[in-house]
C-alpha cells in the first residue's frame, strides 16, 4: 500500500483526485508532463550533489537540498519546507541533471535552497488528501466572491499546500487587477494563508488539456512547459495563410508549434531567390506566384496578381535566369524542364461506389439476376449439346463413306 501511495498525487485522478496507481479507484493514469529522463545516470562521475527537483501541482517545480542524504528516487513523495509550514511533492529529477536544469532556469548555485525534511508518511498523505478534497469547492466559492466584487478576472484553479495552511489561487486577467480586498475576504472565509498567482492563456490551456487540430493531445498539456512568444512573422516565414482561425490554438493565441520549424524554413529560404525578382524571357515577364520552400520549387505567373500561364521551376534555374537578365540576356523559355506536379489517381479501394452495397435485399437481387443471365465467356448448355451431336454425325458420315469406298474397290477386284 505504501508503494502504491508513493506514486499518487501527480495531477489528479478524474475520479478521486489521484494519479499514477490510485488507492481509491485503482485506475492507472499517466503521470502527466514534465517527467524528465536522467540520461546521465549510467555515466560514471561524482554523485555528491544533494539537490533534487520536486514537482507539485500545475507543473510547479522547486529545487530542494537533501541535507539528510535520503535515498531518493524519481517518483518518491517527500515532505519539503514551505512558506510557511511544509509542502508535499514528487521527486522529479536527481543527480547531475538537476544542476543543468537549475542553470537553464536561471537559478544560481550559491542561492540558499529550502530543505527536504523526510519521505512522506501515511499521516502526511492523509492530511494532504483532506486539503486537496477542498480545492474544487474553494475555487467555486472564490469565483463567486470575485464576481460579487466586480473584478475582471477568472480563478482557474486552487492548490492547497501539503499541511493545508496555505492556498495558491491561479487566475487569468487581461488587465491589472486590484485584488487586495479579495485576499482579505478569502483569508477570512477559508482561514488559510492566500497567495495569488497569475497565469497566461497558454498555461490555462495546458492545465485543462484537449486535442489539437493535428489529432494529438495539446503540447502544452503533455510536454511543453516553457512558453515563448509567437509572432505573425513565424507564419510569414513559413508562407502560411494569414487566417487567424487556422493559426490560433484553443487558447486563442497563436499556436506554439509555429515556432517548431521556423529555423528550418528560415535556412531554406536563404537558398531561394528574392520574392520581388522578375524573370524576363523573350516572350513575357514572370512574377513569383507561390513557392515550395522545403522543396526548392518556385511557381511563376505572367500576371503579377492573378495566376496566369503558371510555370514551376527549381531554384537553381531561377538563379540562372536572374544572372542572364543581369547580363542583358533573355532565354527563350522560362525552363526547358518544367516541373509538373503529378496529380494522384484516386481509385475506389473498396470496389463499390454505391452506398446500397450494405443493403442485403439489393445484394440478393443482384445474385438472382446474375444466376439467370448466362455468362458471355461461356456458351449456353443447349448450344454445347447441339455442337456435340453435330460432331458425332459428321464422324459417322465419314466412316460410312470410307466403308462404301473400300467395299466397292473389293467387288471390282473379284469381278476381274
Amino acid at each position: 500500500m505504501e508503494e502504491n501511495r508513493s506514486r499518487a498525487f501527480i495531477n489528479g485522478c478524474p475520479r478521486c483526485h489521484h494519479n499514477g496507481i490510485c488507492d481509491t479507484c485503482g485506475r492507472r493514469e499517466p503521470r502527466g508532463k514534465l517527467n524528465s529522463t536522467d540520461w546521465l545516470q549510467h555515466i560514471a562521475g561524482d554523485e555528491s550533489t544533494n539537490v533534487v527537483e520536486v514537482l507539485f501541482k500545475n507543473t510547479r517545480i522547486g529545487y530542494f537540498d537533501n541535507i539528510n542524504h535520503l535515498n531518493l528516487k524519481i517518483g518518491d513523495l517527500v515532505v519539503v519546507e514551505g512558506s510557511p509550514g511544509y509542502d508535499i511533492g514528487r521527486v522529479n529529477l536527481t543527480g547531475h541533471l538537476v544542476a543543468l536544469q537549475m542553470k537553464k532556469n536561471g537559478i544560481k548555485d550559491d542561492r540558499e535552497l529550502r530543505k527536504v525534511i523526510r519521505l512522506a508518511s501515511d499521516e502526511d498523505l492523509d492530511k494532504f488528501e483532506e486539503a486537496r478534497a477542498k480545492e474544487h469547492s474553494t475555487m467555486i466559492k472564490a469565483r463567486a466572491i470575485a464576481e460579487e466584487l466586480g473584478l475582471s478576472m477568472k480563478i482557474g484553479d486552487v492548490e492547497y499546500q501539503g499541511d493545508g495552511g496555505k492556498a495558491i489561487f491561479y487566475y487569468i486577467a487581461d488587465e491589472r487587477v486590484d485584488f487586495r480586498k479579495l485576499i482579505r475576504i478569502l483569508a477570512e472565509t477559508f482561514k488559510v494563508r492566500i497567495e495569488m498567482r497569475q497565469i497566461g492563456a497558454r498555461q490555462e490551456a495546458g492545465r485543462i488539456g484537449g486535442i489539437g487540430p493535428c489529432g494529438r493531445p495539446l503540447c502544452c498539456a503533455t510536454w511543453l512547459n516553457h512558453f515563448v512568444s509567437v509572432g505573425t512573422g513565424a507564419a510569414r516565414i513559413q508562407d502560411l495563410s494569414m487566417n487567424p482561425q487556422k493559426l490560433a490554438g484553443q487558447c486563442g493565441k497563436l499556436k506554439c508549434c509555429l515556432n517548431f520549424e521556423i529555423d528550418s524554413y528560415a535556412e531554406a529560404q536563404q537558398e531561394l531567390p528574392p520574392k520581388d525578382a522578375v524573370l524576363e524571357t523573350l516572350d513575357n515577364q514572370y512574377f513569383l506566384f507561390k513557392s515550395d520552400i522545403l522543396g526548392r520549387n518556385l511557381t511563376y505567373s505572367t500576371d503579377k496578381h492573378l495566376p496566369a500561364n503558371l510555370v514551376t521551376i527549381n531554384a537553381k534555374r531561377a538563379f540562372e535566369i536572374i544572372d542572364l537578365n543581369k547580363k542583358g540576356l533573355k532565354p527563350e523559355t522560362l525552363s526547358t524542364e518544367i516541373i509538373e506536379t503529378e496529380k494522384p489517381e484516386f481509385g475506389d479501394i473498396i470496389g463499390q461506389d454505391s452506398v446500397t452495397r450494405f443493403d442485403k435485399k439489393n445484394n440478393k437481387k443482384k445474385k438472382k439476376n446474375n444466376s439467370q443471365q448466362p455468362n458471355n465467356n461461356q456458351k449456353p448448355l443447349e448450344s454445347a449439346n447441339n455442337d456435340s451431336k453435330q460432331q458425332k454425325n459428321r464422324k459417322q458420315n465419314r466412316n460410312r463413306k470410307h466403308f462404301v469406298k473400300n467395299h466397292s474397290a473389293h467387288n471390282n477386284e473379284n469381278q476381274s
Side-chain angles (χ1 to χ4, degrees):
M1 176 66 71
E2 184 176 357
E3 181 182 359
N4 291 345
R5 297 190 67 166
S6 64
R7 301 178 185 177
F9 304 109
I10 309 303
N11 285 324
C13 173
R15 294 184 179 180
C16 49
H17 306 288
H18 293 173
N19 210 326
I21 301 176
C22 183
D23 302 334
T24 307
C25 64
R27 290 188 58 174
R28 289 181 176 268
E29 296 293 332
R31 289 187 175 184
K33 66 176 183 177
L34 296 181
N35 293 318
S36 303
T37 301
D38 190 0
W39 48 273
L40 292 176
Q41 60 180 349
H42 299 297
I43 299 177
D46 185 16
E47 299 181 358
S48 59
T49 177
N50 293 324
V51 182
V52 295
E53 184 183 84
V54 181
L55 173 66
F56 302 95
K57 186 182 177 183
N58 289 330
T59 68
R60 181 171 63 92
I61 60 175
Y63 298 94
F64 299 87
D65 191 3
N66 184 15
I67 58 173
N68 297 323
H69 301 285
L70 301 174
N71 186 16
L72 299 179
K73 298 179 181 179
I74 296 177
D76 293 339
L77 287 176
V78 292
V79 179
V80 298
E81 290 183 348
S83 58
Y86 67 87
D87 202 353
I88 296 178
R90 181 175 69 86
V91 177
N92 193 49
L93 201 60
T94 60
H96 290 281
L97 210 58
V98 178
L100 299 177
Q101 289 292 99
M102 292 176 63
K103 184 178 180 181
K104 179 181 178 181
N105 295 330
I107 300 176
K108 298 181 180 180
D109 297 337
D110 56 352
R111 179 179 175 182
E112 185 177 356
L113 301 176
R114 295 175 184 172
K115 304 174 184 178
V116 178
I117 301 175
R118 62 180 181 275
L119 287 170
S121 61
D122 291 340
E123 295 179 357
D124 297 329
L125 296 179
D126 291 337
K127 193 171 184 179
F128 191 30
E129 286 181 1
E130 295 177 1
R132 293 199 62 179
K134 300 184 295 183
E135 290 179 351
H136 184 70
S137 59
T138 302
M139 181 185 66
I140 299 301
K141 292 181 181 179
R143 286 182 177 178
I145 295 173
E147 187 177 357
E148 291 177 359
L149 296 176
L151 300 177
S152 58
M153 60 183 295
K154 173 189 175 184
I155 298 177
D157 198 5
V158 177
E159 178 186 359
Y160 270 93
Q161 200 170 256
D163 57 356
K166 178 182 175 181
I168 302 175
F169 290 80
Y170 297 92
Y171 71 94
I172 302 174
D174 297 332
E175 301 176 355
R176 188 174 180 179
V177 181
D178 185 9
F179 44 75
R180 289 177 293 182
K181 185 176 181 181
L182 175 65
I183 292 177
R184 291 196 298 268
I185 297 176
L186 294 178
E188 294 174 358
T189 305
F190 302 111
K191 308 298 181 184
V192 293
R193 185 183 179 91
I194 304 299
E195 179 181 347
M196 305 297 294
R197 185 168 296 185
Q198 185 175 3
I199 59 176
R202 301 182 190 275
Q203 290 85 346
E204 177 70 6
R207 189 189 64 83
I208 297 174
I211 304 297
C214 58
R216 297 179 61 84
L218 297 177
C219 296
C220 55
T222 52
W223 63 272
L224 190 63
N225 59 334
H226 296 287
F227 298 96
V228 184
S229 61
V230 184
T232 56
R236 292 191 181 94
I237 292 176
Q238 301 177 53
D239 201 11
L240 298 176
S241 174
M242 303 303 292
N243 188 351
Q245 295 181 353
K246 294 183 178 180
L247 297 179
Q250 295 188 1
C251 59
K253 305 292 184 179
L254 292 177
K255 296 178 182 178
C256 296
C257 56
L258 292 177
N259 285 341
F260 293 170
E261 299 179 354
I262 186 173
D263 295 334
S264 300
Y265 277 88
E267 183 179 355
Q269 275 195 349
Q270 295 179 358
E271 302 178 4
L272 299 179
K275 295 182 178 180
D276 56 350
V278 180
L279 306 185
E280 297 182 359
T281 60
L282 295 177
D283 56 350
N284 216 326
Q285 290 183 344
Y286 290 88
F287 305 90
L288 181 63
F289 178 69
K290 64 178 181 178
S291 58
D292 181 6
I293 300 176
L294 299 181
R296 273 72 170 179
N297 296 326
L298 306 170
T299 302
Y300 287 89
S301 171
T302 55
D303 192 287
K304 193 173 183 179
H305 304 287
L306 299 175
N309 303 322
L310 298 178
V311 179
T312 303
I313 59 176
N314 52 34
K316 183 179 179 180
R317 176 60 179 171
F319 279 116
E320 292 177 358
I321 298 176
I322 292 175
D323 293 338
L324 291 175
N325 293 154
K326 290 181 179 179
K327 296 177 182 179
L329 302 177
K330 296 181 180 180
E332 295 181 359
T333 59
L334 197 64
S335 175
T336 55
E337 297 179 359
I338 300 176
I339 301 175
E340 295 182 357
T341 56
E342 297 182 357
K343 295 182 180 180
E345 296 181 359
F346 298 98
D348 184 17
I349 60 175
I350 301 177
Q352 297 176 350
D353 296 331
S354 177
V355 183
T356 58
R357 64 180 182 273
F358 300 106
D359 195 352
K360 295 181 179 180
K361 295 181 180 180
N362 293 337
N363 290 336
K364 290 182 180 179
K365 291 181 180 180
K366 289 181 180 179
K367 290 181 180 179
K368 289 181 180 179
N369 295 332
N370 292 333
S371 61
Q372 292 177 0
Q373 296 178 358
N375 193 355
N376 295 329
N377 297 330
Q378 297 179 356
K379 294 182 179 181
L381 183 60
E382 295 180 358
S383 60
N385 294 333
N386 295 331
D387 293 341
S388 60
K389 288 180 180 180
Q390 291 178 3
Q391 290 178 0
K392 289 181 180 179
N393 294 332
R394 292 173 185 172
K395 189 175 181 179
Q396 290 178 0
N397 292 333
R398 286 197 300 269
N399 294 335
R400 287 175 184 175
K401 291 179 180 179
H402 184 70
F403 177 77
V404 171
K405 185 177 181 180
N406 293 336
H407 184 69
S408 59
H410 181 70
N411 292 332
N412 294 330
E413 290 178 358
N414 293 333
Q415 290 177 3
S416 61

